[in-house]
Amino acid sequence: MRFVQKNILCLIFALLLTTQWCCSQSLVGRWKTVDDETGKEKGVVEIYEKSGVYYAKIVEIFEAEHKNKKCVLCSGDDKDKPFLGLVIIRGLKKHEGEFNGGTVLDPKNGKHYKCYIKFESNDKIKIRGYIGVPLLGRTQYWYRVKNSK
């Protein structure tokens, strides 16, 4: 009987730790972006939240030749805006451990795609941009920027 009680308590403790880890993850913050085709670090994106909706904007560009570029292929309000400061993710909402329902802008071609974000670990997220269904898309992994103190 004691063995069963001890195992049940261990299981409950493990579930509480897992739940706390999952719920303590915050998408808000700065994330280093990595090109999914070249593996090269591109810059830093800041993810922020307003009224339960998540957005991301470019806050740092590593390659000097791209720092002053504008989104000439974008349309609407984003047309000819500088890449630096450009909001590239809009309208994500948290739903069952995933952030979805929003869009991601690819500044290279000016197109918007449906997207979702999932945590791979506390410091790594998977961003999937797609047309129609997630099967038809591209994935990038972004890495949390740690504050250097």
Side-chain angles (χ1 to χ4, degrees), residues 8-25:
I8 290 173
L9 286 175
C10 286
L11 178 64
I12 291 170
F13 182 70
L15 287 172
L16 286 173
L17 283 178
T18 302
T19 303
Q20 182 179 4
W21 178 78
C22 290
C23 295
S24 68
Q25 290 177 315

Side-chain angles (χ1 to χ4, degrees), residues 46-115:
E46 182 176 357
I47 298 178
Y48 57 98
E49 179 262 333
K50 285 186 181 175
S51 303
V53 181
Y54 293 83
Y55 304 85
K57 66 180 174 181
I58 300 170
V59 294
E60 189 174 349
I61 298 171
F62 295 152
E63 294 178 353
E65 66 269 16
H66 296 298
K67 288 188 178 193
N68 295 317
K69 280 194 171 179
K70 295 185 178 185
C71 200
V72 294
L73 298 175
C74 290
S75 60
D77 291 340
D78 293 330
K79 178 81 173 144
D80 294 323
K81 279 193 177 174
F83 282 173
L84 199 58
L86 188 65
V87 177
I88 60 168
I89 292 180
R90 298 173 191 267
L92 289 178
K93 293 183 181 178
K94 189 171 185 177
H95 181 70
E96 296 180 7
E98 177 176 288
F99 298 83
N100 56 37
T103 60
V104 61
L105 167 66
D106 184 346
K108 286 182 185 177
N109 63 22
K111 294 183 180 179
H112 290 266
Y113 302 93
K114 293 180 184 180
C115 76

